[in-house]
Amino acid sequence: MLEKARRRATIIDVGRHAGVSAKTVSRVLNGEPHVSPAVQQRVRDAAASLHYHPNMLARALVRQRSMLLGLVYENPSASYVVELQRGMLTRLADTPYRLVVFPIASIIERSGEVAGLLRSAGLDGVVLAPPAADDLRILNDLASAGIACARIGPSRAIELAPSNIVDDITAAREIATHVIELGHRTIGIIKGHASHAASEARTMGYSQAFYAAGLPMRLDLVEQGDFTRESGHAAAERLLARAEAPTAILAQNDDMAVGALLAARERGLTVPDDLTLVGFDDSEISRICWPPLTTVRQPVFEMAREATDMVIAQLEDRPPLLRHDHPHDLLIRASTAAPPRS
Amino acid sequence: MLEKARRRATIIDVGRHAGVSAKTVSRVLNGEPHVSPAVQQRVRDAAASLHYHPNMLARALVRQRSMLLGLVYENPSASYVVELQRGMLTRLADTPYRLVVFPIASIIERSGEVAGLLRSAGLDGVVLAPPAADDLRILNDLASAGIACARIGPSRAIELAPSNIVDDITAAREIATHVIELGHRTIGIIKGHASHAASEARTMGYSQAFYAAGLPMRLDLVEQGDFTRESGHAAAERLLARAEAPTAILAQNDDMAVGALLAARERGLTVPDDLTLVGFDDSEISRICWPPLTTVRQPVFEMAREATDMVIAQLEDRPPLLRHDHPHDLLIRASTAAPPRS
DNA sequence: GTGAAAGCGCTAACAA
DNA sequence: TTGTTAGCGCTTTCAC
């Protein structure tokens, strides 16, 4: 059978056991100086024999520090979320901070509640992923609640809070240029959710590439998605059902591109022979699916790690980096080719 | 500019503002009876005008409840982890509980530390995914620390703590039987990490299927993996390099099967024409890769949701379900076919 | 219906 | 080098 839960030993119990005051125990446990080695040892022994573990809740109350950091995100792409978490957890390893996750269904609609939610959770700091990273209301509420924050991929008001940025416009222009240079002229676009500012930025990048190549921006070939695979599937179906179907599709993230890939497959189209397809993000599935997707690598992991560092810096009263520009990479893989000559 | 952080209003401030005592404020905020409607309204108004938010840390200390639930897992497969989190978060929506994630590098080696880690994090409860779910040491430490827990996919000591179970042996037998019935006789196996009890169980299921079909259990065709795609890739390479290469490979999860798929492709083999391949778990990539994998669906999402419910039941002093058996499904997709006639 | 006092387990400030 | 006192912000007695 399992042992019974017994009353938890407190710092006072340990002190009594070691024949010292509670404060001395506290000093030893927190590695403060000015405690004789002999007493230190007595305290440690007493703590061990009583199975003492500090009560984080009490410590948190008096120190005004919960050691809890939040991650706020909307829930579109599993691989994106995993990368965010990995980045934060990597920075948090061997620190006393813990990661609390806050997937918010619709951040824009609920932006008024979000800060209250984070505040009542007693967080010390948060990392804001899109689209929360662009929500000024949340930023403001966080500041007035005294919660440290850092942002990933904001597009607006960069100077307002520490930001990790990648140049979405340039990245989108580069991937669109690659497709145009392969010879495509009828090019469909699957946009991400409108509440993400990155969606606008990427569309602008595409349009710059079209303009530079002397191609018109065909608004009739722009379909709205929401960053989910399902939405990419549906959008691709609409595009491919056109009388004048595109020979290439630019999807604004990899999940939607994979959805488009499945849609193409269902119509008997082979990628890239019949249809060129590109994504965005270099998420794991872009490498796993077949063919692997031409995409743009966003250093999500590094941005999350860096954002976490920015938050911790604030909590430790070090001046945080206010802005970190991250590089992107155009990754040309097997999903792009010249258009079929029909 | 952002607003300045101002001192947080306390229950006493609200009381003063409303002309009542702190206790009355507490009563109103916690919905306790015996407060006149007029006073209730005054208190609510005062709280709103002072932007009062309860301090969870103080409440946690006095109530001995942090409202924090942990999820403990090792980090093999991203899609698996995401499903676990989704399941927990679904149950946690509209409750005051928060989710704290604990990816532990090597649970078996660090089993002694894990409970201490969870205890010092001040968790009220935890959901244990494999292989922590099978670690008696952790279970025991958790019980003696008075932390509620529930398990996902344990193979041992089922009665020791609330468990969510799928019948790995039967599931593995079914998928192996499917492969055998297609006509395969030389069948390779890629095992998962030995620390996961599910790995043993699945191997047993395979062996039952072999026995029932009158086939020998070929230990020379069993390769060790660790549930990662890379390990599946390496194991498949070893299998396919044999003089007598298998015509089918049973991988113990989908990630390893995808690794094997890539290995086969590199050797110029087509799945399923040249090689039949099956996975386990029905994780997202099993549907996205090409060909989609024949696999066994494990209701990871439902198990996580149910496990969370078991934990909450304990915290609310309701008797938790002690055991929940979940169904599995054999999903026959395009990665399995009759062996090539050579 | 409402309030005063005590205390959750810990640490900061000050004494000794 | 060590101990004492006073809280952190809230909830729990138990009075009124």
Coordinates of all heavy atoms in Angstrom, one line a residue, chain A residues 128-193:
Chain A
L128 N 4.2 36.3 -24.8 CA 3.0 36.5 -25.6 C 3.3 36.1 -27.1 O 4.2 36.7 -27.7 CB 2.5 37.9 -25.6 CG 2.1 38.5 -24.3 CD1 1.8 40.0 -24.4 CD2 0.9 37.8 -23.7
A129 N 2.7 35.0 -27.5 CA 2.8 34.6 -28.9 C 1.7 35.3 -29.7 O 0.8 35.9 -29.1 CB 2.7 33.1 -29.0
P130 N 1.8 35.4 -31.0 CA 0.7 36.0 -31.8 C -0.6 35.2 -31.6 O -0.5 34.0 -31.3 CB 1.2 35.8 -33.2 CG 2.6 35.4 -33.2 CD 2.9 34.8 -31.8
P131 N -1.7 35.9 -31.6 CA -1.9 37.3 -31.9 C -1.8 38.2 -30.6 O -2.0 39.4 -30.7 CB -3.2 37.4 -32.5 CG -4.0 36.3 -31.9 CD -3.0 35.2 -31.6
A132 N -1.7 37.6 -29.4 CA -1.6 38.3 -28.2 C -0.5 39.3 -28.2 O -0.6 40.4 -27.6 CB -1.5 37.4 -27.0
A133 N 0.6 39.0 -28.9 CA 1.8 39.8 -28.9 C 1.5 41.2 -29.5 O 2.2 42.2 -29.3 CB 2.9 39.1 -29.8
D134 N 0.4 41.3 -30.3 CA 0.0 42.5 -31.0 C -1.1 43.2 -30.3 O -1.6 44.2 -30.8 CB -0.3 42.2 -32.4 CG 0.9 42.3 -33.3 OD1 1.7 43.3 -33.1 OD2 1.1 41.4 -34.1
D135 N -1.6 42.7 -29.2 CA -2.7 43.3 -28.5 C -2.3 44.4 -27.5 O -1.8 44.0 -26.4 CB -3.5 42.2 -27.9 CG -4.9 42.6 -27.5 OD1 -5.0 43.7 -26.8 OD2 -5.9 41.9 -27.9
L136 N -2.6 45.6 -27.9 CA -2.1 46.7 -27.0 C -2.8 46.7 -25.7 O -2.3 47.1 -24.6 CB -2.3 48.0 -27.7 CG -1.5 48.1 -29.0 CD1 -1.7 49.5 -29.6 CD2 -0.1 47.8 -28.9
R137 N -4.1 46.3 -25.7 CA -4.9 46.3 -24.5 C -4.2 45.3 -23.5 O -4.0 45.6 -22.3 CB -6.3 45.8 -24.9 CG -7.2 45.4 -23.7 CD -7.7 46.6 -23.1 NE -8.6 46.3 -22.0 CZ -9.9 46.0 -22.1 NH1 -10.4 46.0 -23.3 NH2 -10.6 45.7 -21.0
I138 N -3.8 44.1 -24.0 CA -3.2 43.2 -23.1 C -1.9 43.7 -22.5 O -1.6 43.6 -21.4 CB -3.0 41.8 -23.8 CG1 -4.3 41.2 -24.1 CG2 -2.1 40.9 -23.0 CD1 -4.2 39.9 -24.9
L139 N -1.1 44.3 -23.4 CA 0.2 44.8 -23.0 C 0.0 45.9 -21.9 O 0.8 45.9 -20.9 CB 0.8 45.5 -24.3 CG 2.0 44.9 -24.9 CD1 2.1 43.4 -24.8 CD2 2.1 45.3 -26.4
N140 N -0.9 46.7 -22.1 CA -1.2 47.8 -21.2 C -1.6 47.2 -19.8 O -1.1 47.6 -18.8 CB -2.3 48.7 -21.7 CG -2.1 50.1 -21.2 OD1 -1.0 50.5 -20.8 ND2 -3.1 50.9 -21.2
D141 N -2.6 46.3 -19.9 CA -3.1 45.7 -18.6 C -1.9 45.0 -17.9 O -1.8 45.0 -16.6 CB -4.2 44.7 -18.9 CG -5.5 45.4 -19.3 OD1 -5.5 46.7 -19.3 OD2 -6.4 44.7 -19.7
L142 N -1.1 44.3 -18.6 CA 0.0 43.6 -18.0 C 1.0 44.6 -17.3 O 1.4 44.3 -16.2 CB 0.8 42.8 -19.1 CG 0.8 41.3 -19.2 CD1 -0.4 40.7 -18.5 CD2 1.0 40.8 -20.6
A143 N 1.2 45.7 -18.0 CA 2.1 46.7 -17.4 C 1.5 47.2 -16.1 O 2.2 47.3 -15.1 CB 2.4 47.8 -18.4
S144 N 0.2 47.5 -16.1 CA -0.4 48.1 -14.9 C -0.5 47.1 -13.8 O -0.6 47.4 -12.7 CB -1.7 48.8 -15.3 OG -2.7 47.8 -15.4
A145 N -0.5 45.8 -14.2 CA -0.5 44.7 -13.2 C 0.9 44.4 -12.7 O 1.0 43.6 -11.8 CB -1.2 43.5 -13.7
G146 N 1.9 45.0 -13.3 CA 3.2 44.7 -12.9 C 3.7 43.4 -13.3 O 4.6 42.8 -12.6
I147 N 3.2 42.8 -14.4 CA 3.6 41.5 -14.8 C 4.6 41.7 -16.0 O 4.3 42.3 -17.0 CB 2.4 40.7 -15.3 CG1 1.5 40.5 -14.1 CG2 2.9 39.3 -15.9 CD1 0.2 39.7 -14.5
A148 N 5.8 41.1 -15.8 CA 6.8 41.3 -16.9 C 6.4 40.5 -18.1 O 5.7 39.5 -18.1 CB 8.1 40.7 -16.4
C149 N 6.7 41.0 -19.3 CA 6.4 40.3 -20.5 C 7.4 40.5 -21.6 O 8.2 41.4 -21.6 CB 5.0 40.6 -21.0 SG 4.9 42.1 -22.1
A150 N 7.3 39.5 -22.6 CA 8.1 39.7 -23.8 C 7.3 39.1 -24.9 O 6.4 38.2 -24.6 CB 9.4 38.9 -23.7
R151 N 7.5 39.5 -26.1 CA 6.7 39.2 -27.2 C 7.4 38.4 -28.3 O 8.6 38.6 -28.5 CB 6.1 40.4 -27.8 CG 5.4 41.3 -26.8 CD 4.6 42.4 -27.4 NE 5.5 43.5 -27.8 CZ 5.1 44.4 -28.6 NH1 3.9 44.4 -29.1 NH2 5.9 45.4 -29.0
I152 N 6.6 37.6 -29.0 CA 7.1 36.8 -30.1 C 6.4 37.3 -31.4 O 5.2 37.2 -31.4 CB 7.0 35.3 -29.9 CG1 7.9 34.9 -28.8 CG2 7.2 34.5 -31.2 CD1 7.8 33.5 -28.4
G153 N 7.1 37.7 -32.4 CA 6.6 38.0 -33.6 C 5.5 39.2 -33.6 O 4.6 39.1 -34.4
P154 N 5.7 40.2 -32.9 CA 4.7 41.3 -33.0 C 5.0 42.1 -34.2 O 6.1 42.1 -34.8 CB 5.1 42.2 -31.7 CG 6.5 42.0 -31.6 CD 6.8 40.6 -32.0
S155 N 3.9 42.8 -34.7 CA 4.1 43.6 -35.9 C 3.9 45.0 -35.6 O 4.1 45.9 -36.4 CB 3.0 43.2 -37.0 OG 3.1 41.8 -37.2
R156 N 3.3 45.3 -34.4 CA 3.0 46.7 -34.1 C 3.7 47.1 -32.8 O 3.9 46.3 -32.0 CB 1.5 46.8 -33.9 CG 0.7 46.7 -35.2 CD -0.7 47.2 -35.0 NE -1.6 46.3 -34.2 CZ -2.4 45.4 -34.7 NH1 -2.4 45.3 -36.0 NH2 -3.1 44.6 -34.0
A157 N 3.9 48.4 -32.7 CA 4.3 49.0 -31.5 C 5.5 48.3 -30.9 O 5.5 47.9 -29.7 CB 3.1 49.1 -30.5
I158 N 6.5 48.1 -31.7 CA 7.6 47.2 -31.3 C 8.3 47.7 -30.1 O 8.8 47.0 -29.2 CB 8.6 47.2 -32.5 CG1 8.0 46.7 -33.7 CG2 9.8 46.4 -32.1 CD1 7.4 45.3 -33.6
E159 N 8.3 49.1 -29.9 CA 9.1 49.6 -28.8 C 8.4 49.5 -27.5 O 8.9 49.9 -26.4 CB 9.4 51.1 -29.1 CG 8.2 52.0 -29.2 CD 7.2 51.7 -30.3 OE1 7.6 51.0 -31.3 OE2 6.1 52.1 -30.1
L160 N 7.1 49.1 -27.5 CA 6.3 49.1 -26.3 C 6.7 48.1 -25.3 O 6.5 48.3 -24.1 CB 4.8 48.9 -26.7 CG 3.8 49.7 -25.9 CD1 4.2 51.2 -25.9 CD2 2.4 49.5 -26.6
A161 N 7.2 47.0 -25.7 CA 7.6 45.9 -24.8 C 8.7 45.0 -25.5 O 8.7 45.0 -26.8 CB 6.4 45.1 -24.4
P162 N 9.5 44.3 -24.8 CA 10.5 43.5 -25.4 C 10.0 42.6 -26.5 O 9.0 42.0 -26.3 CB 11.1 42.7 -24.3 CG 10.9 43.5 -23.1 CD 9.6 44.2 -23.3
S163 N 10.6 42.6 -27.7 CA 10.1 41.9 -28.8 C 11.1 41.1 -29.5 O 12.3 41.4 -29.7 CB 9.6 43.0 -29.9 OG 8.5 43.8 -29.3
N164 N 10.6 39.9 -30.0 CA 11.4 39.1 -30.9 C 10.8 39.0 -32.2 O 9.6 38.6 -32.4 CB 11.5 37.7 -30.3 CG 12.3 37.6 -29.0 OD1 13.5 37.5 -29.1 ND2 11.6 37.8 -27.9
I165 N 11.5 39.4 -33.2 CA 11.0 39.8 -34.5 C 11.6 39.0 -35.6 O 12.8 38.8 -35.6 CB 11.2 41.3 -34.8 CG1 10.5 42.1 -33.6 CG2 10.6 41.7 -36.1 CD1 10.8 43.5 -33.7
V166 N 10.8 38.6 -36.6 CA 11.3 38.2 -37.8 C 10.7 39.0 -38.9 O 9.5 39.4 -38.8 CB 11.3 36.7 -38.1 CG1 10.5 35.9 -37.1 CG2 10.9 36.3 -39.5
D167 N 11.4 39.2 -40.0 CA 10.9 40.1 -41.0 C 10.0 39.3 -42.0 O 10.4 38.8 -43.0 CB 12.1 40.7 -41.8 CG 11.7 41.7 -42.8 OD1 10.5 41.8 -43.1 OD2 12.6 42.3 -43.4
D168 N 8.7 39.3 -41.6 CA 7.7 38.5 -42.3 C 7.6 39.0 -43.8 O 7.4 38.2 -44.7 CB 6.3 38.6 -41.6 CG 6.1 37.5 -40.6 OD1 6.2 36.4 -41.0 OD2 5.8 37.9 -39.5
I169 N 7.6 40.3 -44.0 CA 7.4 40.8 -45.3 C 8.5 40.3 -46.3 O 8.2 39.8 -47.3 CB 7.4 42.3 -45.3 CG1 6.1 42.8 -44.5 CG2 7.3 42.9 -46.7 CD1 6.0 44.3 -44.4
T170 N 9.7 40.5 -45.8 CA 10.9 40.0 -46.7 C 10.8 38.5 -46.9 O 11.0 38.0 -48.0 CB 12.2 40.4 -46.0 OG1 12.2 41.8 -45.8 CG2 13.4 40.0 -46.9
A171 N 10.5 37.8 -45.8 CA 10.5 36.3 -46.0 C 9.4 35.9 -47.0 O 9.6 35.1 -47.8 CB 10.2 35.7 -44.6
A172 N 8.3 36.5 -46.9 CA 7.2 36.2 -47.8 C 7.5 36.6 -49.2 O 7.2 35.9 -50.2 CB 5.9 36.9 -47.3
R173 N 8.2 37.8 -49.3 CA 8.6 38.2 -50.7 C 9.5 37.2 -51.3 O 9.4 36.8 -52.5 CB 9.2 39.6 -50.6 CG 9.5 40.1 -52.0 CD 10.0 41.6 -51.9 NE 11.3 41.6 -51.2 CZ 11.5 42.4 -50.2 NH1 10.6 43.2 -49.7 NH2 12.7 42.4 -49.6
E174 N 10.5 36.7 -50.5 CA 11.5 35.7 -51.0 C 10.8 34.4 -51.5 O 11.2 33.9 -52.5 CB 12.5 35.4 -49.9 CG 13.4 36.6 -49.7 CD 14.4 36.3 -48.5 OE1 14.4 35.2 -48.0 OE2 15.1 37.3 -48.1
I175 N 9.9 33.9 -50.7 CA 9.3 32.6 -51.1 C 8.4 32.8 -52.3 O 8.4 31.9 -53.2 CB 8.6 31.9 -49.9 CG1 8.5 30.4 -50.2 CG2 7.2 32.6 -49.6 CD1 8.1 29.6 -48.9
A176 N 7.7 33.9 -52.4 CA 6.9 34.1 -53.6 C 7.8 34.3 -54.8 O 7.5 33.8 -55.9 CB 6.0 35.4 -53.3
T177 N 8.9 35.0 -54.6 CA 9.8 35.2 -55.7 C 10.3 33.9 -56.3 O 10.4 33.7 -57.5 CB 11.0 36.1 -55.3 OG1 10.4 37.4 -54.9 CG2 12.0 36.3 -56.4
H178 N 10.6 33.0 -55.3 CA 11.1 31.7 -55.7 C 10.1 31.0 -56.6 O 10.4 30.4 -57.7 CB 11.4 30.8 -54.5 CG 11.5 29.4 -54.8 ND1 12.5 28.8 -55.5 CD2 10.7 28.3 -54.4 CE1 12.4 27.5 -55.6 NE2 11.3 27.2 -54.9
V179 N 8.8 31.1 -56.2 CA 7.8 30.4 -57.0 C 7.6 31.1 -58.4 O 7.4 30.4 -59.4 CB 6.4 30.5 -56.2 CG1 5.2 30.0 -57.1 CG2 6.5 29.5 -55.0
I180 N 7.7 32.4 -58.4 CA 7.5 33.1 -59.6 C 8.7 32.8 -60.6 O 8.5 32.6 -61.8 CB 7.5 34.7 -59.4 CG1 6.2 35.0 -58.6 CG2 7.6 35.5 -60.7 CD1 6.2 36.4 -58.1
E181 N 9.9 32.7 -60.0 CA 11.0 32.4 -60.9 C 11.0 31.0 -61.5 O 11.6 30.7 -62.5 CB 12.3 32.6 -60.1 CG 12.6 34.1 -59.8 CD 13.9 34.3 -59.0 OE1 14.3 33.3 -58.3 OE2 14.3 35.4 -58.9
L182 N 10.2 30.1 -60.8 CA 10.0 28.8 -61.4 C 9.1 28.9 -62.7 O 9.0 27.9 -63.4 CB 9.4 27.8 -60.4 CG 10.4 27.4 -59.3 CD1 9.6 26.7 -58.2 CD2 11.5 26.5 -59.8
G183 N 8.5 30.0 -62.8 CA 7.7 30.1 -64.0 C 6.2 30.2 -63.8 O 5.4 30.3 -64.7
H184 N 5.8 30.2 -62.5 CA 4.3 30.2 -62.3 C 3.8 31.6 -62.5 O 4.4 32.6 -62.2 CB 4.1 29.8 -60.8 CG 4.4 28.3 -60.6 ND1 3.5 27.3 -60.8 CD2 5.5 27.7 -60.2 CE1 4.1 26.2 -60.6 NE2 5.3 26.4 -60.2
R185 N 2.6 31.7 -63.0 CA 1.9 32.9 -63.3 C 0.5 33.0 -62.6 O 0.1 34.1 -62.3 CB 1.7 33.1 -64.8 CG 3.1 33.4 -65.5 CD 3.7 34.7 -65.1 NE 5.1 34.8 -65.6 CZ 6.2 34.4 -65.0 NH1 6.1 33.9 -63.8 NH2 7.4 34.6 -65.5
T186 N -0.1 31.9 -62.4 CA -1.4 31.8 -61.8 C -1.2 31.3 -60.4 O -1.0 30.0 -60.2 CB -2.4 31.0 -62.6 OG1 -2.3 31.3 -64.0 CG2 -3.8 31.2 -62.1
I187 N -1.2 32.1 -59.4 CA -0.7 31.7 -58.1 C -1.8 32.0 -57.1 O -2.2 33.2 -56.9 CB 0.6 32.5 -57.7 CG1 1.7 32.2 -58.8 CG2 1.1 32.1 -56.3 CD1 3.0 32.9 -58.6
G188 N -2.2 31.0 -56.3 CA -3.2 31.2 -55.3 C -2.5 31.5 -54.0 O -1.4 31.1 -53.7
I189 N -3.3 32.1 -53.1 CA -2.8 32.4 -51.8 C -3.8 31.9 -50.7 O -5.0 32.1 -50.9 CB -2.6 34.0 -51.6 CG1 -1.5 34.4 -52.5 CG2 -2.4 34.4 -50.2 CD1 -1.3 35.9 -52.5
I190 N -3.3 31.3 -49.7 CA -4.1 30.9 -48.5 C -3.7 31.7 -47.3 O -2.6 31.5 -46.8 CB -4.1 29.4 -48.2 CG1 -4.5 28.6 -49.5 CG2 -5.1 29.1 -47.1 CD1 -4.4 27.1 -49.3
K191 N -4.5 32.7 -46.9 CA -4.1 33.6 -45.8 C -4.4 32.9 -44.5 O -5.2 32.0 -44.4 CB -4.9 34.9 -45.9 CG -4.6 35.7 -47.1 CD -5.4 37.0 -47.1 CE -5.0 37.9 -46.0 NZ -5.6 39.3 -46.1
G192 N -3.6 33.4 -43.5 CA -3.9 32.9 -42.1 C -5.0 33.7 -41.5 O -5.6 34.6 -42.1
H193 N -5.3 33.5 -40.2 CA -6.4 34.2 -39.6 C -6.1 35.7 -39.5 O -5.0 36.1 -39.2 CB -6.5 33.7 -38.2 CG -7.9 34.0 -37.6 ND1 -8.2 35.3 -37.1 CD2 -8.9 33.3 -37.3 CE1 -9.4 35.3 -36.7 NE2 -9.9 34.1 -36.8

